[in-house]
Amino acid sequence: MSFEVFSYESLVHAVSGAVGSVTAMTVFFPLDTARLRLQVDENRKAKSTPAILLEIMKEEGLLAPYRGWFPVICSLCCSNFVYFYCFHSLKACWLKGKQSAPSTDLIIGIVAGVVNVLVTTPLWVVNTRLKLQGSKFRNADIRLTNYSGILDAFVQIIRDEGVGALWNGTFPSLLLVLNPAIQFMIYEALKRHLRGAEPRDLSSVEVFIIGAVAKAVATTVTYPLQTIQSILRFGQFKETPDASKLLSSVRTIRCLLVNRVRKYGMLGLFKGLEAKLLQTVLTAALMFLLYEKIASCTFRVMGLSHNHYKKH
């Protein structure tokens, strides 16, 4: 058990996933900026992604689409390292050399997602605020912040809002573990289908396509909750005090969803989906491509059993 949890194989997967995700996010970061702005700034009209980015650059400067890049990359690197490590460690412990199945991948993905959320949510709260700091909002009710960096943001949030504020949006985040779980379930299932009976390396095109399909399905299904998660992380919504923290979180999510539908109709729950799909599908596809190539190359260099990994 301990050998499978603390193995070089799991470490290779974790490092490959982290490097692949950081590289892919850097390439498509402006698309994430457009998506986040549409989610939290309710008075900004939904437009095409290029139009939103041009608007942001015109009002805030050419580098505005890359505002908050460093904290996002730090959070993403940590988050993907934790997720990939947990996913492949748990998979090795569970399967013990046997063939995996979609239901197994889904359950393991959910468990890995819960661990990831509890460990890395504070980083995502800080990076959401840093990414939006200095933005020109259409919504006058949004309070301006003044953080000098990641550590200063941590200090100010704890001082002004309490330690619990670092876990804002944890409940919807826990619900959203379905996103990577569904993504990995579809990705692994398609990968096994394409490989067939004989384990083989998939082509770059095959990896890119199945990575894109898996992420597109997972994102569309969970997008309304992602919007609520962004709003809560931004810290501009005041939760109603309640004796039960869980009950308060459920009411907050319900309230935000209902308000969104009342203001903008059902389509309001999917405001920014175009930008999100464009960003997340391309990012995930490139991430999986880089992950597979880095892992495959590393296994060959280190002389580890890559065939064992392929069968999973």
Side-chain angles (χ1 to χ4, degrees):
M1 175 85 169
S2 61
F3 173 74
E4 284 146 344
V5 172
F6 302 105
S7 69
Y8 282 116
E9 189 174 338
S10 295
L11 187 62
V12 169
H13 285 299
V15 172
S16 302
V19 172
S21 62
V22 164
T23 306
M25 176 56 89
T26 299
V27 172
F28 298 114
F29 192 80
L31 300 178
D32 191 56
T33 299
R35 180 272 310 174
L36 186 58
R37 199 68 65 85
L38 284 168
Q39 283 182 326
V40 303
D41 191 358
E42 292 187 350
N43 292 343
R44 184 180 287 274
K45 292 181 181 178
K47 300 178 182 177
S48 67
T49 302
I52 290 291
L53 287 173
L54 285 172
E55 202 172 70
I56 291 170
M57 286 189 286
K58 184 179 178 181
E59 294 176 358
E60 303 168 32
L62 290 175
L63 295 179
Y66 274 92
R67 181 185 290 116
W69 171 83
F70 184 70
V72 169
I73 290 303
C74 289
S75 302
L76 190 67
C77 184
C78 294
S79 183
N80 275 278
F81 183 91
V82 171
Y83 191 88
F84 273 83
Y85 193 95
C86 288
F87 183 84
H88 287 283
S89 295
L90 291 169
K91 198 170 181 180
C93 293
W94 188 316
L95 296 176
K96 298 188 183 300
K98 298 176 184 176
Q99 179 80 3
S100 185
S103 58
T104 304
D105 290 331
L106 183 64
I107 293 169
I108 293 172
I110 289 172
V111 175
V114 169
V115 173
N116 181 37
V117 165
L118 296 177
V119 171
T120 64
T121 289
L123 283 169
W124 287 110
V125 168
V126 166
N127 93 54
T128 298
R129 300 199 186 188
L130 287 171
K131 190 168 168 53
L132 291 167
Q133 183 170 271
S135 303
K136 294 184 184 298
F137 294 108
R138 301 291 191 275
N139 189 348
D141 294 332
I142 291 177
R143 303 183 309 277
L144 300 179
T145 56
N146 186 27
Y147 306 126
S148 61
I150 296 175
L151 290 178
D152 183 55
F154 271 111
V155 170
Q156 285 197 44
I157 291 170
I158 293 171
R159 183 191 66 206
D160 300 337
E161 304 171 47
V163 176
L166 291 174
W167 275 269
N168 278 350
T170 296
F171 188 68
S173 295
L174 287 172
L175 296 178
L176 278 169
V177 299
L178 283 171
N179 184 299
I182 292 169
Q183 175 187 345
F184 269 73
M185 178 186 72
I186 295 172
Y187 178 78
E188 294 289 330
L190 289 173
K191 193 163 68 169
R192 282 192 294 271
H193 177 73
L194 288 174
R195 279 178 174 160
E198 288 295 321
R200 66 178 179 89
D201 281 323
L202 298 181
S203 70
S204 299
V205 174
E206 287 174 323
V207 172
F208 192 89
I209 290 173
I210 64 175
V213 170
K215 192 61 178 180
V217 174
T219 298
T220 303
V221 169
T222 60
Y223 189 76
L225 277 174
Q226 291 183 52
T227 299
I228 302 307
Q229 179 193 56
S230 294
I231 293 170
L232 290 174
R233 282 176 174 173
F234 191 31
Q236 300 289 336
F237 181 82
K238 293 298 180 184
E239 297 185 45
T240 305
D242 201 296
S244 167
K245 189 69 177 173
L246 177 62
L247 190 59
S248 176
S249 297
V250 172
R251 285 177 176 170
T252 298
I253 292 171
R254 187 187 65 183
C255 178
L256 286 168
L257 287 171
V258 169
N259 287 344
R260 198 90 174 178
V261 172
R262 281 176 180 168
K263 279 187 177 181
Y264 309 106
M266 286 301 294
L267 289 178
L269 295 176
F270 294 90
K271 186 183 177 188
L273 178 61
E274 178 210 346
K276 179 65 176 177
L277 276 176
L278 192 59
Q279 175 261 325
T280 200
V281 168
L282 292 174
T283 300
L286 182 57
M287 182 270 288
F288 274 119
L289 174 59
L290 294 172
Y291 155 69
E292 293 286 354
K293 297 303 178 185
I294 293 169
S296 176
C297 182
T298 306
F299 279 126
R300 288 196 186 98
V301 170
M302 296 178 69
L304 295 176
S305 177
H306 192 215
N307 284 333
H308 172 71
Y309 146 70
K310 281 183 190 176
K311 286 189 289 186
H312 293 174

